[in-house]
């Protein structure tokens, strides 16, 4: 099932060009994280969704909905640096995720489809990174790789936006608007092999990234297992699994889109409204 959240905090199942409203049937009381997070935090499962009679529930044309990020404020967002071999070569990097470990992004950096990345600086390059997002469905602590996928609820396209300045990754990647996510979460039962998904990322009409998740250094199971040995993963947490080669800059007025086989297409704009010079940032000496 494909699960989309709307700006009025309703949860919908996406069925081709229609959206079925699940909110009342699931008795959801969304908080700041949105309806899908409310569902996951109360122990909601794919089996519970499958038991719903979708034909009896209200529906509308998908085009009539204003979509929000499927998880507006995840408990945490975990990033995987240098997790594709071609990106390692592109960067001239000797180390990979095996050496760097994972990093955290602020949950306040999430935006949804159709929103805009806001560039913080006028004079420092900001890059796109198209990635596969892994959404946790069951608490995971020190799980082995062989059991890790049982803790995954679903998958979605995500953009990990990055300022190319000198600060730690968590700073450079945590600006507000720096984690576009969506357009929906596709449940894991519809993704037989998360290691066989084509990923493409465009800036305007320029195809910048074209790869397969088969090329991940740590595949999804290994990534969940590794991360769960560092920190407990809770339902609704998101892991951004790393980006392939083709990373490049974005500029105001451009459109950035990431599409993953079977998971949909996420598209956002770019603005420099409010951008400042890097030397004018607070605390600069």
């Amino acid at each position: 099932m494909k699960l989309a959240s709307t700006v009025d905090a309703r949860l919908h199942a996406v069925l081709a060009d229609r959206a079925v409203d699940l909110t009342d049937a699931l008795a959801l009381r969304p908080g700041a994280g949105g309806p899908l997070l409310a569902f996951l935090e109360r122990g909601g499962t794919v089996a519970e969704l499958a038991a719903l009679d979708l034909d009896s529930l209200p529906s509308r044309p998908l085009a009539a909905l204003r979509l929000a990020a499927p998880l507006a404020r995840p408990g945490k967002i975990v990033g995987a640096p240098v997790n594709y071999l071609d990106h390692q070569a592109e960067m001239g990097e000797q180390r990979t995720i095996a050496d760097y470990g994972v990093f955290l992004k602020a949950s306040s950096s999430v935006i949804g489809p159709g929103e805009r990345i806001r560039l913080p600086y006028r004079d420092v390059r900001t890059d796109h990174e198209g990635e596969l997002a892994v959404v946790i469905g069951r608490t995971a602590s020190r799980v082995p790789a062989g059991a890790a996928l049982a803790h995954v609820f679903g998958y979605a396209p995500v953009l990990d936006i990055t300022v190319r300045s000198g600060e730690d990754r968590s700073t450079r990647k945590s600006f507000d608007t720096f984690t576009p996510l969506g357009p929906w979460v596709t449940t894991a039962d519809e993704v037989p092999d998360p290691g066989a998904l084509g990923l493409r990322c465009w800036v305007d009409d320029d195809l910048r990234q074209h790869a397969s998740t088969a090329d991940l250094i740590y595949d999804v199971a290994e990534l969940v297992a590794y991360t769960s040995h560092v920190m407990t993963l809770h339902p609704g947490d998101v892991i951004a699994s790393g980006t392939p080669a083709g990373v490049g800059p974005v500029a105001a007025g451009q459109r950035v889109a990431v599409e993953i086989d079977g998971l949909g297409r996420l598209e956002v704009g770019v603005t420099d409204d409010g951008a400042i010079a890097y030397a004018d940032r607070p605390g600069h000496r």
Side-chain angles (χ1 to χ4, degrees), residues 18-40:
R18 297 198 65 78
V20 179
D21 194 329
L22 310 179
T23 315
D24 295 335
L26 295 172
L28 296 180
R29 300 291 182 268
L36 180 54
L37 184 61
F39 175 70
L40 293 172

Side-chain angles (χ1 to χ4, degrees), residues 108-111 115-122 124 126 161-163 172 174-180 250-254 256 268-276:
S108 53
S109 65
V110 172
I111 59 172
E115 296 190 62
R116 293 192 296 176
I117 299 161
R118 191 169 66 246
L119 304 178
Y121 302 122
R122 295 192 300 266
V124 178
T126 297
I161 305 302
T162 307
V163 169
R172 294 186 290 109
S174 284
F175 287 88
D176 289 351
T177 74
F178 270 29
T179 311
V250 296
Q254 292 183 318
V256 185
V268 294
V270 184
T271 180
D272 60 1
D273 291 349
I276 62 173

Side-chain angles (χ1 to χ4, degrees), residues 3-13 20-24 26-44 48-49 66-74 153 185 235-236:
L3 297 169
S5 299
T6 49
V7 295
D8 57 350
R10 309 288 293 182
L11 183 66
H12 296 77
V20 179
D21 194 329
L22 310 179
T23 315
D24 295 335
L26 295 172
L28 296 180
R29 300 291 182 268
L36 180 54
L37 184 61
F39 175 70
L40 293 172
E41 287 185 333
R42 72 139 165 88
E48 182 179 356
L49 296 170
R66 185 179 167 199
L67 298 184
L71 292 158
R73 194 181 299 173
F153 177 78
V185 170

Side-chain angles (χ1 to χ4, degrees), residues 52-72:
L52 295 173
D53 179 7
L54 299 184
D55 292 335
S56 69
L57 299 179
S59 72
R60 286 197 291 163
L62 178 61
L65 300 183
R66 185 179 167 199
L67 298 184
L71 292 158

Side-chain angles (χ1 to χ4, degrees), residues 8 16 48 70-71 74 85-86 99 119 122 142 144 160 171 182 228 244:
D8 57 350
E48 182 179 356
L71 292 158
L85 290 170
D86 61 354
D99 307 293
L119 304 178
R122 295 192 300 266
R142 301 185 65 82
D160 177 19
T171 295
S228 78

Side-chain angles (χ1 to χ4, degrees), residues 54-140:
L54 299 184
D55 292 335
S56 69
L57 299 179
S59 72
R60 286 197 291 163
L62 178 61
L65 300 183
R66 185 179 167 199
L67 298 184
L71 292 158
R73 194 181 299 173
K76 56 182 169 287
I77 304 167
V78 181
V82 198
N83 198 27
Y84 278 83
L85 290 170
D86 61 354
H87 185 47
Q88 180 190 23
E90 173 183 56
M91 295 175 67
E93 178 62 77
Q94 299 302 309
R95 292 173 289 180
T96 71
I97 182 176
D99 307 293
Y100 282 121
V102 294
F103 61 89
L104 292 173
K105 296 189 68 168
S107 61
S108 53
S109 65
V110 172
I111 59 172
E115 296 190 62
R116 293 192 296 176
I117 299 161
R118 191 169 66 246
L119 304 178
Y121 302 122
R122 295 192 300 266
D123 51 353
V124 178
R125 171 174 157 170
T126 297
D127 286 356
H128 65 83
E129 299 183 12
E131 307 192 9
L132 170 69
V134 180
V135 177
I136 300 300
R138 291 172 47 201
T139 298

